[in-house]
Amino acid sequence: MKRFIFLVCGVFLLESFAFELSMSKSFVQKLEPSVMQISFTLNTKASSAEAIRERLHPLIKEMKKSTICSGGAYAISPEYKYEKDKARVLVGFYGNVNYKCSFEETTQLDAVVALLDAKKKIELSQSPVRWVVKKEKIQEAQRALEFEALQHPMLYAKSLQEQKIAKCKVEKISLNKNIHTPFVGNVTRAMSTSIPEPTKEAQEIQISAEYLYECKEL
């Protein structure tokens, strides 16, 4: 009878030391940008959709020769005005085409600027020039941070055991990726041949991790 009581007490004491441990940690890497980038939209209005196409097609054809710009998809939409009796009247058509250019020197934009300057009846809406990190570099940094985030809980559990605090095993890992890029708004103006080089700002790549451990005190 005494032996039975001893075993029950032993099980009770052992279970009382079991616990769950929830922790979070962020892993960050800052990348220096290597290329400049600018995005712009070309807008135009005309009395017919055909007039819009005739205005945009030659420009799109010329832009295809650019080695630094991509895009060229365009949209044409009808433009209406509403009379007092709420009747809708077609007043013309509105067209736009989008581009994004990546380059290492602002002088590489000269050919694009010259082409756009020669086009009349087309309005330009553009973002400021900014330095960016190449997509391949971002992906490389993400993979490195993911490896670090996945390796961390095993190293942490090993450290707890070596310091005779607890014996833990990893039950769950959740990863959240985040790329911080400074916001830049659009401005409407003519692209200039003297575009200033922007200030470089490091781009921050971050992975936040949530860990759940099942532990027993030693």
Side-chain angles (χ1 to χ4, degrees):
M1 186 65 179
K2 288 183 180 179
R3 184 179 180 184
F4 175 77
I5 293 173
F6 174 77
L7 290 174
V8 171
C9 291
V11 172
F12 175 77
L13 290 173
L14 184 63
E15 290 181 348
S16 67
F17 287 115
F19 62 94
E20 284 190 346
L21 178 62
S22 178
M23 297 187 69
S24 61
K25 185 175 174 62
S26 294
F27 303 85
V28 179
Q29 189 174 144
K30 289 188 176 182
L31 302 177
E32 285 297 320
S34 55
V35 296
M36 283 177 278
Q37 194 174 85
I38 188 171
S39 300
F40 59 90
T41 301
L42 302 172
N43 309 295
T44 188
K45 293 181 180 181
S47 59
S48 68
E50 184 59 30
I52 295 287
R53 281 191 286 269
E54 290 178 356
R55 198 174 293 169
L56 292 180
H57 276 194
L59 175 61
I60 293 170
K61 186 177 180 180
E62 287 297 314
M63 284 294 293
K64 283 183 179 179
K65 299 175 184 178
S66 172
T67 58
I68 63 170
C69 298
S70 60
Y74 70 92
I76 299 177
S77 305
E79 190 174 22
Y80 298 96
K81 73 173 182 179
Y82 292 85
E83 303 293 348
K84 291 182 179 179
D85 59 356
K86 296 184 179 180
R88 189 173 69 169
V89 179
L90 178 66
V91 294
F93 289 83
Y94 174 86
N96 63 71
V97 57
N98 299 297
Y99 285 96
K100 180 182 288 185
C101 306
S102 299
F103 47 94
E104 295 178 0
E105 300 288 341
T106 55
T107 53
Q108 292 177 271
L109 274 178
D110 287 351
V112 176
V113 172
L115 175 62
L116 298 180
D117 281 347
K119 300 299 178 181
K120 307 301 181 183
K121 298 181 180 180
I122 292 181
E123 185 181 72
L124 171 67
S125 176
Q126 70 179 75
S127 68
V129 179
R130 62 191 179 100
W131 282 98
V132 297
V133 179
K134 289 183 178 179
K135 184 179 179 181
E136 296 77 11
K137 288 291 183 182
I138 292 175
Q139 291 173 338
E140 183 181 323
Q142 284 180 327
R143 285 193 294 268
L145 290 176
E146 284 173 3
F147 178 76
E148 186 179 354
L150 292 173
Q151 191 180 40
H152 172 77
M154 278 69 80
L155 297 174
Y156 183 72
K158 182 180 179 182
S159 175
L160 290 176
Q161 187 166 354
E162 288 176 347
Q163 295 180 48
K164 301 188 184 304
I165 297 173
K167 183 177 181 180
C168 302
K169 64 177 181 178
V170 184
E171 285 297 310
K172 185 177 180 182
I173 300 175
S174 300
L175 301 181
N176 296 304
K177 301 176 186 178
N178 181 49
I179 302 175
H180 174 68
T181 305
F183 173 78
V184 287
N186 283 348
V187 293
T188 302
R189 58 183 172 88
M191 195 180 285
S192 169
T193 54
S194 58
I195 294 175
E197 185 173 310
T199 303
K200 280 189 179 183
E201 293 186 33
Q203 197 169 31
E204 190 175 274
I205 313 298
Q206 177 178 297
I207 287 183
S208 300
E210 299 286 337
Y211 303 111
L212 180 64
Y213 302 84
E214 280 198 4
C215 304
K216 289 183 180 180
E217 289 191 12
L218 296 176

